[in-house]
Amino acid sequence: MTETSSPTLKQAQKNKLTLLLCIILTFTVMNGTMFNVAIPDIAEEFGLLPSEVSWVMTGYILVFAIGSLMYGKLADIYPIKTLLTIGIILFASGAALGFLSQSYPMLLAARTLQAMGGATIPALSFIIPARFMPNERGKVFGIVASTVAFASGAGPIAGGVVGGALDWRFLFIFSILSLIAIPFLRKWLPNEEKRDGKVDIVGAVLIALSITGLLLFITDGSLYALVFAIVTALLFGWRTVTYEQPFIQPSMLKNRYYTSAIITSFLGTVAMFGMIFVIPIMARDLYSLSTVQIGLLLFPGAMAAGIIGQFGGKLIDRKGSYPVTRIGFTLVIIGTILISTFTGFPPWIIALCILVQYIAFPLIQSSTANLLTIIIPKEKTGVGIGLFNLLNFLAGAISSAVFGSILDLSNVSTLLNPLAQNGENTIYANLFIGLALLSITALLFFSFIFKGFENNKGK
């Protein structure tokens, strides 16, 4: 693949583009989290079983996760301006179809179309700073990651308010409004020439099928899906080592720094989404909070993450990714231990504990993304960050399935945290101690692999 130089942006153009990216990214992330609170209403309207209505979220995550990798690969060849324009049009078109949906199949088609388009936004939001803002990429990564954290907390509140006051269909309005961003994106994004290269269609289909099987196994527990995922993964591996221009270059996966960075980010995202998944269930079970109250429980942490993430991005540019990643995981460990210890205490205390863990998310996301831009050759940034995004989405699906299964357990009496109170909160206290141990493992692994990396490679 022939490498081409990236256009230089003026500072005012960078600021406008960053703000616009954050706005459309907010629409995309909220579109996912808002519908969590609407699931019961959708099930009631269409007379669906829980396993049936779950496809409103499962189908969206499935297409979104695969799309995040595909668009990353396409960005190595085609202009980002073109990909984002097509993506936003698909995203808004799916939202319009969803707003008009009168049947469950029509709703599923709408969510699929939304995911096909919406996947462009987080995928390219991490590639744009790497390509067009190399001297400020840490700062912009921090802003992007803090936007994701903020929107994930604001989504349930917006969903509860809009869905409660009007109807769940009105949740699609937020996504339709994203069309407003197209003329500004086309004005502020630089023009690029199409790069040399081609997409390995067979490899793309194989990895998409493997991910589909894995997600179906995670969400539905189907052993057939697991076997299918393994077989297609093996075929993808064979294709990768035998084809001249495979979808993912083997040299990228052999790079221990690259694989270690995406594994570290994956584990951090598991801890983050595990907390977001468990807290609403715990709040309803132990405190009998309403949907809006649960959203308010998470909201201070989301707000704090939005603020701290921007500071963390500037810190990355000054000090490098290694110390910021370590700070992020240290905060996750402290936060999960605090939640475990104070489970069963008044909700406002839990909100403060959540805040500690929440602010770690943008630090880990932005610092590991910045590491990838150092490790990956410039002409492979798209697929490299695409795989990073894919694993983060899989982390959300895996954490929900695993922690949901754990919460199905009954009669848990052994308390793993000696500082916590025993009782009906025991399972929650144990679960958060488990997240703390997972985060400690991730921190030790990262520290071992990357110790001295930035001294040798630069920040």
Side-chain angles (χ1 to χ4, degrees):
M1 181 180 290
T2 304
E3 184 176 334
T4 58
S5 59
S6 299
T8 302
L9 301 182
K10 295 180 179 179
Q11 189 59 48
Q13 194 175 1
K14 292 178 183 178
N15 294 339
K16 290 177 182 178
L17 186 56
T18 300
L19 176 62
L20 189 61
L21 281 176
C22 290
I23 291 172
I24 59 175
L25 189 59
T26 299
F27 286 138
T28 310
V29 176
M30 288 181 65
N31 177 72
T33 56
M34 282 191 303
F35 276 88
N36 284 335
V37 301
I39 292 296
D41 294 334
I42 295 173
E44 182 178 354
E45 177 164 340
F46 295 120
L48 302 171
L49 297 172
S51 59
E52 295 172 325
V53 76
S54 66
W55 276 98
V56 172
M57 297 305 301
T58 302
Y60 185 86
I61 293 172
L62 176 63
V63 177
F64 204 91
I66 296 171
S68 66
L69 176 59
M70 300 302 176
Y71 284 117
K73 177 65 176 181
L74 291 174
D76 286 334
I77 302 173
Y78 299 98
I80 288 179
K81 180 186 292 188
T82 302
L83 296 176
L84 265 179
T85 301
I86 295 171
I88 292 175
I89 290 173
L90 289 174
F91 183 60
S93 299
L97 182 64
F99 182 72
L100 300 173
S101 60
Q102 298 300 314
S103 66
Y104 188 53
M106 188 175 178
L107 175 61
L108 287 182
R111 291 289 283 169
T112 301
L113 191 59
Q114 265 198 303
M116 289 171 61
T120 58
I121 298 168
L124 302 181
S125 292
F126 281 98
I127 296 173
I128 287 172
R131 183 171 296 176
F132 303 128
M133 312 175 196
N135 296 328
E136 302 173 32
R137 63 177 185 266
K139 172 186 173 182
V140 181
F141 282 148
I143 294 172
V144 169
S146 62
T147 300
V148 173
F150 169 78
S152 67
I157 297 177
V161 172
V162 174
L166 299 171
D167 179 82
W168 58 266
R169 290 178 179 82
F170 283 86
L171 298 179
F172 285 106
I173 295 295
F174 290 92
S175 303
I176 297 174
L177 293 175
S178 63
L179 284 171
I180 299 171
I182 291 179
F184 298 101
L185 282 171
R186 296 196 64 80
K187 179 180 179 181
W188 294 333
L189 272 171
N191 293 317
E192 298 176 274
E193 297 294 329
K194 179 180 178 294
R195 294 167 172 80
D196 294 335
K198 59 182 180 180
V199 178
D200 175 16
I201 301 298
V202 174
V205 170
L206 286 172
I207 194 171
L209 291 174
S210 181
I211 294 165
T212 300
L214 178 61
L215 281 174
L216 289 174
F217 169 70
I218 292 168
T219 54
D220 297 341
S222 170
L223 291 178
Y224 292 109
L226 177 60
V227 172
F228 180 77
I230 293 172
V231 170
T232 48
L234 291 173
L235 289 173
F236 173 75
W238 172 80
R239 175 76 175 183
T240 298
V241 298
T242 57
Y243 190 61
E244 183 181 359
Q245 295 187 35
F247 191 77
I248 298 176
Q249 292 289 342
S251 58
M252 182 181 296
L253 298 178
K254 291 178 182 178
N255 186 321
R256 71 187 184 107
Y257 290 121
Y258 175 76
T259 54
S260 300
I262 60 175
I263 289 171
T264 299
S265 177
F266 172 82
L267 295 175
T269 307
V270 167
M272 179 63 191
F273 278 94
M275 182 269 289
I276 293 177
F277 175 80
V278 173
I279 287 295
I281 298 173
M282 184 180 80
R284 183 65 58 85
D285 184 27
L286 299 183
Y287 303 110
S288 300
L289 298 185
S290 66
T291 300
V292 174
Q293 288 173 323
I294 292 171
L296 292 173
L297 189 69
L298 292 167
F299 191 68
M303 286 290 291
I307 297 170
I308 295 297
Q310 298 183 44
F311 168 77
K314 295 177 182 178
L315 188 62
I316 291 169
D317 285 331
R318 292 201 303 267
K319 301 294 184 180
S321 300
Y322 179 75
V324 177
T325 304
R326 287 172 59 85
I327 291 170
F329 273 101
T330 300
L331 288 171
V332 173
I333 294 166
I334 294 171
T336 48
I337 292 175
L338 286 174
I339 297 172
S340 173
T341 301
F342 291 103
T343 295
F345 280 65
W348 68 269
I349 296 179
I350 299 299
L352 293 176
C353 299
I354 292 170
L355 187 150
V356 175
Q357 183 177 347
Y358 227 125
I359 61 178
F361 179 65
L363 299 181
I364 294 172
Q365 285 276 288
S366 56
S367 58
T368 50
N370 188 63
L371 266 178
L372 295 180
T373 63
I374 301 169
I375 298 165
I376 306 169
K378 189 175 180 180
E379 69 275 10
K380 299 175 184 175
T381 300
V383 70
I385 292 183
L387 188 56
F388 161 80
N389 282 317
L390 170 66
L391 286 179
N392 285 336
F393 289 122
L394 286 177
I398 290 171
S399 61
S400 299
V402 172
F403 300 141
S405 298
I406 293 173
L407 291 175
D408 285 342
L409 299 175
S410 57
N411 300 322
V412 176
S413 57
T414 303
L415 186 63
L416 301 180
N417 182 359
L419 301 176
Q421 296 178 341
N422 210 335
E424 60 181 357
N425 60 290
T426 298
I427 190 169
Y428 299 107
N430 288 348
L431 200 152
F432 280 102
I433 281 295
L435 287 178
L437 294 174
L438 177 69
S439 302
I440 291 170
T441 302
L443 177 58
L444 293 175
F445 170 73
F446 175 80
S447 300
F448 174 75
I449 296 294
F450 279 91
K451 186 176 182 180
F453 170 81
E454 291 189 335
N455 292 331
N456 298 326
K457 301 288 184 179
K459 291 179 182 177

